[in-house]
């Protein structure tokens, strides 16, 4: 039997890992299966643009993986059993189980309501393509209504900042308010914070700082100080969380559900499982946990691939850089901020703002999409064979693929 590698999730980290593994390992010894709930690749970093009314590319995964030998299973992951080495999935045909010898867990993250009343029932978000499209439909309807329409964006992290400025620029007829729990742009340098305020002023974004939201209703938001803010659409961007699947399955996880891994992205509790992207709790080279981000997804994906190939073929395992270089923030289509950080993760004094920063951010997104659409580009053509003693899972032979 061939060694079966199953990759859960085809986001930035999962798509890269699957394509690279398929290119570097011989199909005589290995087969790779990708499990993803949606048929296309989602540019999560641009979902706020989709919600604002712009069109963004969503390449079909069948085309992304064409010619790689990867098997694509369109299904939703419902459970993981690391003891039996099987994954339970649900699809239009009822689902089933997929056995694996090596598992790459890349299910990413989703919006976190943080236990705030009414968020699930009344708020919109941009953490997934369907939810971004629902927000887009709502904004379309509000624009047709005319003046006096309030859009409230709750959360002053990068997603909230990008969403508020994008909507304000793309839909100038709507009044946009950004609710910040602390100081706007607090992690940025003083100069970058000043630039951010100037852009918000130019776009007409109202900023409410040091404001905590306690409840979301259909037409308003209730704040901790008793204030009620009118909202025809509330966009919730106050954090992200991971699925409980790993925790329920018995993998060692952090308090927030991320899989605890070693330097090579290998699960500490189950060594045939690797976690990449937002799903893994990874300590960076500076001794601090890597944040949930596209940049982290790239580094962790490369490290996991190097570790899997090295262990299965008896080769050397290279150490990929595990660092977070900084923040690339789009402020609409014509402005942005590039903020580098030091070894401690603190913002450096200098930053880049304006149209040049916006163009660099757009270039990074185009490069990320191109790399995802060409997962094997630039890789050596030599495919490595597995060691005869490469670990196998008996459950993988019995499970229904």
């Amino acid at each position: 039997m061939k060694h079966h590698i199953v990759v859960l999730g085809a986001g930035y980290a999962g798509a890269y890992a699957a394509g690279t593994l398929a290119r570097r390992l011989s199909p005589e010894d290995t087969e790779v299966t990708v499990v993803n709930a949606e048929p296309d690749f989602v540019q999560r970093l641009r979902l706020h643009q989709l919600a604002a009314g712009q069109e963004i590319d969503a390449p079909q995964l069948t085309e992304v993986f064409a010619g790689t030998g990867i098997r694509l299973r369109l299904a939703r992951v419902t459970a993981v059993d690391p003891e039996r080495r099987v994954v339970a999935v649900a699809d239009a045909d009822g689902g089933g189980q997929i056995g694996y010898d090596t598992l790459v867990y890349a299910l990413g993250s989703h919006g976190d309501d943080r236990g705030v009343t009414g968020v699930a029932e009344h708020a919109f978000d941009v953490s997934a393509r369907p939810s971004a499209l629902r927000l887009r439909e709502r904004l379309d309807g509000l624009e047709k209504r005319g003046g006096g329409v309030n859009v409230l964006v709750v959360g002053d992290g990068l997603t909230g900042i990008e969403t508020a400025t994008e909507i304000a620029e793309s839909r100038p007829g709507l009044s946009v308010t950004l609710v910040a729990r602390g100081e706007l742009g607090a992690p940025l340098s003083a100069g970058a914070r000043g630039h951010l305020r100037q852009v918000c002023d130019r776009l007409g974004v109202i900023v409410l700082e040091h404001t905590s939201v306690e409840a979301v209703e259909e037409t308003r938001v209730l704040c901790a100080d008793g204030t009620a803010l009118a909202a025809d659409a509330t966009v919730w961007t106050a954090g992200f969380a991971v699925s409980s699947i790993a925790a329920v399955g018995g993998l060692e996880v952090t308090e927030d559900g991320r899989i605890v891994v070693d330097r090579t992205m290998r699960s500490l509790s189950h060594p045939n499982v690797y976690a990449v992207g937002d799903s893994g709790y990874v300590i960076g080279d500076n001794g601090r946990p890597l944040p949930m981000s596209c940049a982290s997804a790239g580094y962790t994906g490369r490290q996991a691939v190097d570790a899997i190939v090295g262990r299965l073929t008896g080769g050397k395992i290279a150490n990929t850089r595990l660092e977070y270089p900084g923040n690339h923030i789009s402020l609409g289509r014509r402005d942005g901020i590039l903020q580098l950080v030091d070894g401690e993760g603190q913002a450096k004094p200098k930053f880049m703002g304006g149209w040049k920063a916006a163009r660099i951010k757009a270039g990074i997104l185009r490069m990320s999409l191109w790399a995802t659409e060409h997962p094997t580009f630039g890789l050596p053509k030599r495919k490595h064979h597995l060691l005869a003693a490469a670990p196998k899972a008996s459950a993988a032979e019995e499970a229904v693929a």
Side-chain angles (χ1 to χ4, degrees):
M1 297 288 291
K2 295 181 180 180
H3 188 95
H4 192 197
I5 300 174
V6 174
V7 180
L8 304 183
Y12 291 101
Y16 169 84
T20 308
L21 286 167
R23 180 62 177 264
R24 293 179 61 179
L25 296 172
S26 171
E28 297 178 11
D29 307 322
T30 311
E31 62 179 358
V32 178
T33 298
V34 173
V35 183
N36 200 64
E38 301 294 332
D40 45 24
F41 174 73
V42 177
Q43 294 192 72
R44 185 169 179 179
L45 295 178
R46 298 183 65 188
L47 287 178
H48 60 286
Q49 293 177 240
L50 181 66
Q54 301 161 33
E55 297 300 328
I56 63 173
D57 292 333
Q60 294 290 300
L61 291 175
T62 52
E63 297 178 5
V64 170
F65 296 133
T68 63
I70 292 172
R71 298 172 59 192
L72 176 62
R73 177 72 179 270
L74 295 178
R76 179 173 56 87
V77 177
T78 58
V80 171
D81 186 341
E83 302 301 330
R84 296 176 54 234
R85 298 187 185 181
V86 294
V87 175
V89 300
D91 57 21
D93 298 322
Q97 291 187 335
I98 303 173
Y100 66 84
D101 299 304
T102 296
L103 183 71
V104 180
Y105 191 106
L107 290 179
S109 61
H110 55 81
D112 184 5
D113 63 17
R114 297 186 179 273
V116 175
T117 302
V119 172
E121 295 82 4
H122 304 298
F124 298 86
D125 68 76
V126 293
S127 62
R129 184 178 177 86
S131 57
L133 288 173
R134 285 195 297 271
L135 174 57
R136 176 176 178 159
E137 182 179 6
R138 176 62 172 170
L139 296 178
D140 287 343
L142 293 178
E143 277 195 320
K144 295 177 181 178
R145 185 189 300 180
V149 174
N150 299 307
V151 177
L152 208 63
V153 179
V154 181
D156 58 333
L158 302 189
T159 302
I161 291 170
E162 291 191 326
T163 301
T165 52
E166 199 75 52
I167 293 175
E169 181 183 85
S170 297
R171 300 174 183 266
L174 304 179
S175 176
V176 179
T177 298
L178 177 60
V179 179
R181 189 178 184 87
E183 180 185 4
L184 178 65
L188 303 175
S189 64
R193 291 197 300 272
H195 183 79
L196 174 57
R197 289 181 181 279
Q198 291 176 4
V199 173
C200 287
D201 289 343
R202 174 172 60 81
L203 295 175
V205 176
I206 301 169
V207 179
L208 299 179
E209 296 179 295
H210 307 289
T211 303
S212 297
V213 172
E214 287 196 336
V216 177
E217 298 180 352
E218 186 175 1
T219 59
R220 65 177 186 170
V221 163
L222 305 181
C223 302
D225 62 2
T227 304
L229 304 174
D232 296 287
T234 298
V235 188
W236 189 264
T237 66
F240 296 96
V242 299
S243 167
S244 62
I245 288 175
V248 173
L251 288 154
E252 181 179 347
V253 299
T254 58
E255 185 176 346
D256 63 2
R258 288 183 288 170
I259 298 173
V260 182
V261 298
D262 63 15
R263 180 59 175 73
T264 67
M265 305 304 118
R266 197 180 201 183
S267 165
L268 294 186
S269 61
H270 295 82
N272 62 324
V273 177
Y274 293 77
V276 297
D278 290 354
S279 302
Y281 179 77
V282 183
I283 301 300
D285 294 337
N286 63 357
R288 300 171 182 271
L290 287 181
M292 294 181 180
S293 69
C294 178
S296 300
Y299 291 134
T300 58
R302 284 193 291 272
Q303 182 61 83
V305 168
D306 285 341
I308 292 170
V309 173
R311 290 191 173 109
L312 293 183
T313 64
K316 182 180 179 180
I317 300 176
N319 276 349
T320 300
R321 291 183 306 162
L322 296 179
E323 61 184 12
Y324 188 73
N327 298 316
H328 304 82
I329 311 168
S330 63
L331 305 174
R333 296 299 86 212
R334 296 183 293 276
D335 212 322
I337 293 174
L338 299 186
Q339 175 70 75
L340 300 181
V341 300
D342 59 23
E344 298 301 315
Q346 302 300 309
K348 293 182 177 181
K350 292 185 177 180
F351 78 101
M352 177 186 295
W355 67 271
K356 184 178 291 186
R359 291 185 64 183
I360 293 175
K361 173 66 181 288
I364 292 172
L365 294 178
R366 286 194 299 270
M367 181 178 65
S368 297
L369 177 61
W370 192 92
T372 301
E373 290 181 297
H374 303 80
T376 62
F377 179 79
L379 294 177
K381 294 184 178 180
R382 179 190 175 198
K383 293 181 181 287
H384 299 276
H385 288 277
L386 272 60
L387 294 174
K392 296 290 293 179
S394 58
E397 300 178 12
E398 302 174 359
V400 178

